[in-house]
Amino acid sequence: MNVIWRNYICCLRLGKVPHRCHSGSHPVAPLGSRILTDPAKVFEHNMWDHMQWSKEEEEAARKKVEENSAVQVIPEEQDKYESEASKYWDVFYKIHKNKFFKNRNWLLREFPEILPVDLKTKENAGELSWDHVKTNAANCCSKMIEEKDRFKKSSGLSDGQSKAGSDFSNLDSKKLGKGPLKTELFPGSRATFRILEVGCGAGNSVFPILNTLQNTPESFLYCCDFASGAVELVKSHSSYRATQCSAFVHDVCNDGLPYPFPDGILDVILLVFVLSSIHPGRALFI
């Protein structure tokens, strides 16, 4: 199931491709306007636009590439590292845990279109007033209680049964298969806005996004990695919420593997520093 391509096509057909900064939250300096004129301010932004290398810098880079290419991995080991890549990534995460990469707190500032259209975010996550937080919390609780009562009445379930039926975190993706799913059988089925992060690692993008979405229960985040150790780190994190996030092991290069959700339901798909880790011959899902 080529979920990446199918969801992209679905977005095109439905006119759901987001416009830049459609959430109403704009970057401090929009992309394309960041011109470095003072070298002392080089760390003021994550990136600069229209940078030109000097001849000296270009030559130094060329030499570094040549040095790196001078010693190559023998073909036999290339095959081993490719076929057993998930095992080596598991070793990496076993050693470094979630301490190697920093959380990408800049992600939503630079790309606010990741968020739902009606989610009004601010540049700094603690700027929301306490009154605003209390109002949102009260509204969310009210909606959740009404939804729970409506579900119980329609299904005739007791409190214990409805609680057990709402726990999607342990679902086997193989049981879900590729075909159409009943809406109550997959995580995030009640959400109206869904994000998938491919190659989530230890959650350095997951948790900045989850922290922002905590007051929008109608949003849901899926995240996957082909290293089971990375997924376990995400699921064991104190900020992980199975009610709003589903982390699962998945190799996106294997087109035959099922996903724990139906086709055509995603609004945003993220691949942060993923394609550079995939052999060009395997990146057939693009």
Side-chain angles (χ1 to χ4, degrees):
M1 178 177 62
N2 201 328
V3 70
I4 306 295
W5 178 249
R6 289 183 183 179
N7 277 284
Y8 176 71
I9 293 298
C10 181
C11 287
L12 285 178
R13 289 175 178 171
L14 297 179
K16 293 172 64 177
V17 176
H19 296 290
R20 183 75 178 138
C21 303
H22 79 310
S23 68
S25 176
H26 297 261
V28 177
L31 300 180
S33 66
R34 305 179 187 188
I35 311 299
L36 179 62
T37 56
D38 182 358
K41 297 182 178 180
V42 66
F43 296 111
E44 192 170 288
H45 296 298
N46 294 302
M47 57 168 288
W48 295 92
D49 298 312
H50 312 299
M51 291 296 296
Q52 298 293 326
W53 283 11
S54 66
K55 291 183 178 181
E56 293 77 12
E57 291 171 330
E58 185 173 352
E59 183 59 30
R62 195 184 305 280
K63 288 182 178 180
K64 180 59 66 175
V65 171
E66 291 174 356
E67 290 175 9
N68 291 340
S69 302
V71 179
Q72 297 185 356
V73 179
I74 61 175
E76 292 78 7
E77 291 190 352
Q78 290 181 29
D79 294 338
K80 181 182 69 172
Y81 291 139
E82 179 65 31
S83 61
E84 302 178 15
S86 61
K87 183 183 77 173
Y88 289 106
W89 276 109
D90 277 334
V91 173
F92 172 87
Y93 287 112
K94 184 177 181 179
I95 295 173
H96 299 287
K97 306 295 183 182
N98 59 354
K99 308 296 183 183
F100 192 84
F101 301 106
K102 293 183 178 180
N103 279 351
R104 302 179 183 115
N105 295 312
W106 49 266
L107 188 64
L108 299 178
R109 290 198 301 269
E110 300 292 348
F111 303 101
E113 59 267 54
I114 292 173
L115 300 174
V117 175
D118 57 350
L119 179 60
K120 304 301 181 182
T121 58
K122 295 188 178 182
E123 295 172 11
N124 297 313
E127 290 184 358
L128 290 176
S129 67
W130 178 237
D131 289 338
H132 181 72
V133 173
K134 288 192 294 184
T135 301
N136 274 355
N139 291 338
C140 291
C141 289
S142 177
K143 290 180 180 178
M144 291 175 67
I145 292 172
E146 292 175 2
E147 192 67 26
K148 179 181 177 182
D149 291 341
R150 188 181 303 112
F151 176 74
K152 286 168 61 180
K153 289 178 180 178
S154 63
S155 59
L157 296 179
S158 65
D159 284 335
Q161 290 174 317
S162 63
K163 180 179 179 182
S166 64
D167 184 7
F168 300 117
S169 60
N170 295 320
L171 282 178
D172 186 348
S173 62
K174 292 182 180 179
K175 294 179 182 179
L176 294 176
K178 298 182 182 181
L181 305 178
K182 295 182 180 180
T183 55
E184 68 270 17
L185 290 183
F186 70 95
S189 58
R190 295 180 179 274
T192 59
F193 189 88
R194 302 177 181 92
I195 304 171
L196 167 66
E197 186 191 9
V198 175
C200 63
N204 299 105
S205 296
V206 169
F207 297 111
I209 294 174
L210 269 183
N211 289 339
T212 302
L213 296 180
Q214 60 184 335
N215 292 322
T216 57
E218 67 276 9
S219 300
F220 198 89
L221 174 63
Y222 304 97
C223 56
C224 65
D225 201 286
F226 78 150
S228 59
V231 174
E232 286 304 315
L233 287 173
V234 172
K235 297 176 77 171
S236 62
H237 195 282
S238 59
S239 296
Y240 181 78
R241 303 188 301 277
T243 56
Q244 202 170 21
C245 182
S246 174
F248 57 99
V249 178
H250 194 87
D251 183 357
V252 294
C253 292
N254 189 338
D255 195 44
L257 294 178
Y259 287 78
F261 49 79
D263 292 355
I265 68 165
L266 300 175
D267 296 279
V268 175
I269 301 173
L270 301 178
L271 296 93
V272 183
F273 305 132
V274 171
L275 296 181
S276 59
S277 301
I278 298 176
H279 190 283
R282 297 198 68 208
L284 301 178
F285 63 94
I286 302 176

